[in-house]
Amino acid sequence: QVHVVESGGGLVQPGGSLRLSCAASGNIFSSNAMGWYRQAPGKQREFIASITSGGTTTYYADSVKGRFTISRDNTKNTVYLQMNSLKPEDTAVYYCRIFSTNLAWGQGTQVTVSS
């Protein structure tokens, strides 16, 4: 059974940093691209970042480019999102996604940026 579990969220001050983790089970992780999404209060879920199966190519939404870094460790079946220079508008529930699968959205992890 393939599933993902997000972790690492929390409360951080503006300008601070957090590192999110997404642990996946199953044998398909290393063969699929991965992505991070977020949903802020009152807003639609939006794409944040993605990474190819080998970790060689990444893509970022303009809203986080230069501040967030996506990476993966296929030996650990884990994808990460390093978030720096956090802003209050980054407050959201963050979700990871294994591309080319039809898995339901996980529980996500809450990130709150506030002074």
Side-chain angles (χ1 to χ4, degrees):
Q1 187 74 33
V2 179
H3 67 278
V4 297
V5 178
E6 302 95 338
S7 63
L11 175 64
V12 65
Q13 293 182 314
S17 299
L18 283 173
R19 189 194 194 199
L20 307 184
S21 297
C22 175
S25 63
N27 292 323
I28 56 88
F29 179 86
S30 63
S31 299
N32 292 67
M34 296 284 296
W36 284 96
Y37 299 75
R38 70 185 182 188
Q39 186 168 22
K43 300 182 66 177
Q44 298 295 310
R45 182 152 35 212
E46 64 176 332
F47 170 82
I48 295 301
S50 64
I51 187 167
T52 53
S53 59
T56 58
T57 304
T58 58
Y59 175 84
Y60 300 93
D62 288 342
S63 58
V64 305
K65 195 174 301 181
R67 299 187 298 121
F68 291 9
T69 302
I70 188 172
S71 62
R72 68 192 297 163
D73 185 344
N74 288 347
T75 68
K76 299 179 179 179
N77 282 5
T78 302
V79 64
Y80 305 96
L81 186 68
Q82 178 66 47
M83 306 185 297
N84 299 325
S85 302
L86 283 163
K87 306 174 180 179
E89 50 263 46
D90 294 319
T91 296
V93 178
Y94 285 71
Y95 304 87
C96 69
R97 193 78 176 167
I98 308 177
F99 289 3
S100 302
T101 68
N102 290 309
L103 299 174
W105 293 100
Q107 83 286 354
T109 185
Q110 175 72 50
V111 172
T112 302
V113 185
S114 176
S115 59

